[in-house]
Amino acid sequence: MGPGSQEMMTQQAKDALEASDVIVGYTVYVELLRAFYPGKEFVTTPMRQEIERCRICFSLAGEGKTVSMVCSGDAGVYGMAAPMYELQQENKAYQQTELVVLPGITAANSGAAVLGAPLNHDYCVISLSDLLTPWEQIEKRLIAAVQGDFAIAIYNPSSHKRKDHLKRACDIMLTAGASPDRACGYVENIGRDGTKAHVLTLGQLRETPVNMFTTVFIGNSKSVIMKDKLVTGRGYQI
């Protein structure tokens, strides 16, 4: 469903929701859709109940209903597409259900558009959430991204329990060879009310608090700040 606004949803996604008997999702995301699809049945679960949410989808589909599982951004980017397939693989009763994944606009792309062109060359996407991935693995990925000189889109840079993760990530990238002057940026509330974008250096980012609704962009060694935009060139001679 992208960021949640109607204009940033694909027509495929809109058509799927219109054709659904039931819309299932995390409570916050479903509330963004409820007003646009009156008459639909909605089922929600809170955070940390993702697998139960998947089981609900298969159970409802088993009753003959057309069900949409909604995710913010893209279902295949830190979304629910993989666990749906994994559950289907493990449970024979679910294997009679047709499972279709529709693309959405993920925060790396929607946030990049707000900032200008931070991901216009090779880039990677890294989440700082260590709920499902050990921090040691996240650290290796950050180091590899700097060593490969990738631009980086960072998801889940902070939360109530992970207030220092972005600072730790910046320290790891600086130790791996990134310059304190490397061009960076971040966007809050992408595609929603109160969208805010900021550009700054990696050294400044290290000291900057961000919230859980923020996507952070780290340029590569040749990225530049142009006024209020972050630009990573392709290498063309201008």
Side-chain angles (χ1 to χ4, degrees):
M1 53 181 273
S5 59
Q6 284 279 292
E7 63 269 24
M8 294 184 73
M9 289 176 61
T10 67
Q11 190 60 49
Q12 266 189 319
K14 293 177 185 178
D15 290 345
L17 291 170
E18 288 287 1
S20 295
D21 299 307
V22 189
I23 297 172
V24 179
Y26 171 47
T27 307
V28 173
Y29 304 149
V30 167
E31 290 305 316
L32 293 171
L33 297 174
R34 196 182 291 272
F36 298 111
Y37 298 95
K40 299 294 182 184
E41 179 183 352
F42 292 92
V43 178
T44 67
T45 66
M47 194 176 290
R48 304 285 185 91
Q49 293 189 20
E50 289 82 3
I51 301 305
E52 177 60 25
R53 199 179 308 152
C54 294
R55 291 195 178 100
I56 290 170
C57 287
F58 281 116
S59 177
L60 291 167
E63 297 174 7
K65 296 179 179 180
T66 299
V67 184
S68 282
M69 159 78 83
V70 295
C71 308
S72 66
D74 181 282
V77 182
Y78 304 118
M80 302 308 296
M84 288 290 288
Y85 278 111
E86 290 166 338
L87 268 177
Q88 188 177 50
Q89 177 71 18
E90 293 298 317
N91 192 319
K92 289 185 179 180
Y94 297 162
Q95 292 171 15
Q96 302 303 312
T97 298
E98 181 185 11
L99 183 57
V100 179
V101 178
L102 299 180
I105 301 175
T106 188
N109 300 129
S110 54
V114 175
L115 277 175
L119 305 179
N120 215 63
H121 207 315
D122 296 337
Y123 71 92
C124 61
V125 178
I126 300 174
S127 170
L128 297 189
S129 173
D130 57 357
L131 289 175
L132 300 174
T133 304
W135 181 258
E136 293 75 16
Q137 187 67 54
I138 295 171
E139 182 172 350
K140 289 178 181 177
R141 290 170 179 169
L142 289 166
I143 293 169
V146 172
Q147 292 177 342
D149 201 19
F150 287 90
I152 311 169
I154 293 182
Y155 284 52
N156 304 309
S158 180
S159 72
H160 296 303
K161 294 183 178 180
R162 296 182 288 104
K163 293 181 179 180
D164 67 334
H165 276 202
L166 181 58
K167 184 175 183 178
R168 290 172 65 186
C170 290
D171 286 339
I172 290 165
M173 290 184 282
L174 290 165
T175 301
S179 168
D181 294 326
R182 180 165 295 204
C184 300
Y186 63 95
V187 187
E188 303 173 51
N189 299 313
I190 301 168
R192 300 173 186 169
D193 291 341
T195 299
K196 295 180 182 179
H198 307 264
V199 291
L200 69 177
T201 67
L202 182 58
Q204 292 169 328
L205 180 65
R206 181 184 181 276
E207 305 299 331
T208 301
V210 298
N211 61 39
M212 61 188 299
F213 301 108
T214 302
T215 305
V216 174
F217 296 82
I218 312 296
N220 67 20
S221 63
K222 296 182 180 179
S223 299
V224 295
I225 293 173
M226 298 182 180
K227 296 183 179 179
D228 60 347
K229 300 298 180 183
L230 176 59
V231 178
T232 301
R234 284 284 309 278
Y236 294 116
Q237 297 298 315
I238 304 298

